[in-house]
């Protein structure tokens, strides 16, 4: 028994920060099976319910029949299948860019892209609420890291100014943000961010993990909704959320993608994702971009509207993420446990995923939810979370922190 490990685990438990895995025995969906019972699921990022759709199940089987299960090697050795290239061409068309590059996950995308572009002479400036993958990637790059308060354009402007003053004209300055923030569900002021980065000659990376599939024409994300495809240097995303599959990608200019093929270590030194998965993801992008995607987005919107109507909240976020700010870590855990007791799965999100003292229930809606499930949820929430409307609005009103 290693005492230092044991002490560390006890420390986590004492702070209410101990994490445990939960076993799911069924496909993803609005109702999932745990070992001892079924539970209504309001915690998945499968916003359109595609992960267990008939179309994608069939596509995965067809992909396996065509390509087998493994890629055999990294993309630069002999693992670059036609299925990967078709996925990348489909993603580039979808995101309105010249090219795209697929990775084994969104996390691996961030870890590959940022250090490929920035080194110790450079500056990476991140929104404070950026996803852990982006923060880890910035650290790995060795660049000077600057953080601006969430969505705070004036602070960002000052950081851009000082980056230009302190560092020479040859340094790269990369600004990193998300289009829809994963834990708060609010949007970044993308047009202003584009204008600022253009003014200071900085590059902009926008992670659309929670925007794609949900927002924009054909579900192409918030960047497309604002018509900014040509003005965002790097559009990053994941295939694992609304697209229902697995993997990550970045869409950019042809030369940017060429540089990443040459330099992104998580791309170069990792076996290519299974080509069957790339085949399935290509079908997922096509579904999301066509009428079936429009119908699913309409259903998701209707479900969100139903939730907000029942919960009497007046400042709904544009996306499918509804954070209920509880504050205290232990109280958030208790609220989550009480909901689970009543048959609803809504995990508590705590430090270090969010700041200390802003523990929350992170509830996500999907096109797959039925009205009765939403009604049931809200009636239990009204019981368990006092001031439910305020808990939702606190997050929406948080503004620049
Ligand atoms: C989920 C997520 C990722 C990581 O994507 P995976 O494909 O799950 O590794 C990256 N960025 C954001 C904002 C995310 O929410």
């Amino acid at each position: 028994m290693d005492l230092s490990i044991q002490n560390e685990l006890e420390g986590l438990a004492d702070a209410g920060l101990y994490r445990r895995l939960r076993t799911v025995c069924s496909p993803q969906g609005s109702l999932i099976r745990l070992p001892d019972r079924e539970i209504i699921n309001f915690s998945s990022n499968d916003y359109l319910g595609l992960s267990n759709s008939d179309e994608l199940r069939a596509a995965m089987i067809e992909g396996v029949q065509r390509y087998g299960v493994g890629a055999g090697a990294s993309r630069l050795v002999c693992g670059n299948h036609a299925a990967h290239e078709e996925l990348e061409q489909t993603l580039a068309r979808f995101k309105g860019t010249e090219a795209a590059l697929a990775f084994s996950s969104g996390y691996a995308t961030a870890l590959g892209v940022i250090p490929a572009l920035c080194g110790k002479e450079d500056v990476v400036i991140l929104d404070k609420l950026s996803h852990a993958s982006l923060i880890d990637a910035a650290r790995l790059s060795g660049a000077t890291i600057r953080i601006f308060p969430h969505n705070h354009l004036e602070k960002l402007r000052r950081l851009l100014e000082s980056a230009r003053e302190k560092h020479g004209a040859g340094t790269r300055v990369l600004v990193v943000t998300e289009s829809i923030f994963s834990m708060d569900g609010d949007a970044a002021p993308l047009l202003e961010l584009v204008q600022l980065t253009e003014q200071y000659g900085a590059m902009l990376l926008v992670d659309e993990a929670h925007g794609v599939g949900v927002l924009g024409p054909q579900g192409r994300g918030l960047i497309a909704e604002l018509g900014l495809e040509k003005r965002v240097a790097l559009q990053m995303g994941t295939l694992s959320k609304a697209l229902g599959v697995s993997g990550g990608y970045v869409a950019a200019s042809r030369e940017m993608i060429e540089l990443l093929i040459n330099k992104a270590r998580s791309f170069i030194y990792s076996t290519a994702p299974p080509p069957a998965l790339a085949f399935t993801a290509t079908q997922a992008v096509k579904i999301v971009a066509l009428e079936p995607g429009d119908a699913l987005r309409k259903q998701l919107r209707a479900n969100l509207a139903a939730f907000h109507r029942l919960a009497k909240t007046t400042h709904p976020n544009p996306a499918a993420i509804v954070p209920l700010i509880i504050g205290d870590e232990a109280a958030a855990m208790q609220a989550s446990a009480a909901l689970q007791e009543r048959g609803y799965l809504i995990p508590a999100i705590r430090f270090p995923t969010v700041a200390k003292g802003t523990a929350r229930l992170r509830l996500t809606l999907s096109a797959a939810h039925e009205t009765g499930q939403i009604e049931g949820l809200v009636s239990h929430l009204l019981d368990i979370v006092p001031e439910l409307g305020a808990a939702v609005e606190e997050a929406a009103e948080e503004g620049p922190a």
Side-chain angles (χ1 to χ4, degrees), residues 180-248:
I180 298 296
F181 284 84
S182 61
M183 294 301 139
D184 289 65
D186 59 337
L190 286 186
L191 175 60
E192 290 81 359
L193 288 166
V194 162
Q195 289 167 340
L196 262 183
T197 48
E198 284 174 350
Q199 187 185 339
Y200 287 91
M203 283 189 291
L204 180 61
L205 181 154
V206 178
D207 184 344
E208 286 244 57
H210 301 278
V212 159
V214 175
L215 295 175
Q218 300 181 289
R220 288 158 52 218
L222 191 58
I223 295 171
E225 184 167 314
L226 301 173
L228 298 172
E229 297 96 318
K230 302 285 180 263
R231 296 168 72 186
V232 174
L234 298 139
Q235 299 189 48
M236 190 188 125
T238 175
L239 306 168
S240 64
K241 288 172 181 159
L243 290 164
V245 192
S246 181

Side-chain angles (χ1 to χ4, degrees), residues 115-176:
L117 289 175
C118 295
K120 58 182 194 312
E121 309 301 318
D122 303 316
V123 185
V124 180
I125 308 178
L126 303 106
D127 185 288
K128 186 165 196 314
L129 296 190
S130 295
H131 190 260
S133 60
L134 303 167
I135 295 166
D136 293 356
R139 289 199 182 124
L140 183 65
S141 75
T144 300
I145 296 178
R146 294 281 176 260
I147 307 282
F148 59 98
H150 181 46
N151 282 345
H152 200 309
L153 294 164
E154 195 40 46
K155 279 280 171 55
L156 171 61
R157 175 193 296 280
R158 274 178 255 153
L159 290 174
L160 284 164
E161 242 159 44
S162 90
R164 273 292 161 246
E165 277 164 21
K166 284 195 207 120
H167 302 263
T171 61
R172 282 194 188 131
V173 178
L174 176 67
V175 174
V176 174

Side-chain angles (χ1 to χ4, degrees), residues 382-393:
L382 287 169
D383 237 15
I384 289 168
V385 181
E387 313 283 337
L388 174 61
V392 173
E393 278 157 30

